[in-house]
Amino acid sequence: MLTIDEKVNVEIRHCPDCLSKDIEVSYSWESLPSQDGWEDVRFLFPHIHCNKCDAVVDACEASHVIHDAACKAQGLLTPKEIRELRISMDPAMDQKKFAKLLGCDEITVARWESRERFQNENWDRHIRMRCAENL
């Protein structure tokens, strides 16, 4: 089982129910439902607890954690890893230059790095191969 033990930074610092700033952030270990061909992944899921209205809600950033866990479960690079590979090749390489190197559109790279879309297995292999060639 893979484990992602990095805690996502929770940026929203108020209760979404009552807007109180008297909140606490906590994390619980969660895992993705089993899928055929996916590896089991555990990750730290962020919650917000409001000390004023006693609400307990999932932090907005929880979707980022789930996306990254799904990447890991499928054996794909996470958005952070794609961004780090791009920058490791050339700190000045922007998404447009990276897209040109890969042979795709800039919007595609932006979607991968912003967690808007998953790259498929073929694109993931292509990213890894092109980055290895250029490091």
Side-chain angles (χ1 to χ4, degrees):
M1 175 178 285
L2 292 173
T3 300
I4 302 173
D5 57 2
E6 184 177 333
K7 292 181 179 178
V8 67
N9 183 33
V10 176
E11 295 180 19
I12 295 180
R13 301 307 240 168
H14 63 272
C15 173
D17 289 350
C18 73
L19 302 180
S20 170
K21 293 186 185 270
D22 186 13
I23 63 157
E24 295 175 26
V25 176
S26 63
Y27 297 85
S28 63
W29 284 104
E30 302 286 340
S31 58
L32 294 174
S34 294
Q35 301 280 330
D36 285 339
W38 287 25
E39 189 163 345
D40 291 335
V41 178
R42 284 179 2 127
F43 53 92
L44 289 166
F45 192 86
H47 306 278
I48 294 173
H49 175 259
C50 178
N51 293 317
K52 182 178 179 187
C53 73
D54 211 29
V56 178
V57 295
D58 299 342
C60 294
E61 293 81 2
S63 64
H64 299 186
V65 176
I66 293 170
H67 182 100
D68 291 356
C71 286
K72 288 292 188 188
Q74 297 174 74
L76 302 174
L77 294 164
T78 65
K80 181 179 177 182
E81 291 169 333
I82 293 172
R83 196 169 30 261
E84 287 173 349
L85 278 172
R86 173 173 57 83
I87 293 168
S88 70
M89 287 192 302
D90 178 357
M93 184 179 288
D94 60 15
Q95 291 176 341
K96 185 175 185 173
K97 290 177 187 172
F98 190 55
K100 186 174 181 178
L101 174 76
L102 295 175
C104 65
D105 294 329
E106 178 182 357
I107 192 71
T108 300
V109 172
R111 287 176 176 161
W112 292 335
E113 289 188 6
S114 68
R115 295 181 177 93
E116 190 177 327
R117 296 271 190 268
F118 290 95
Q119 70 277 14
N120 64 31
E121 290 178 19
N122 291 333
W123 273 113
D124 195 79
R125 277 193 299 273
H126 185 68
I127 294 165
R128 292 171 195 262
M129 179 188 70
R130 294 298 288 168
C131 291
E133 290 171 356
N134 288 282
L135 282 177

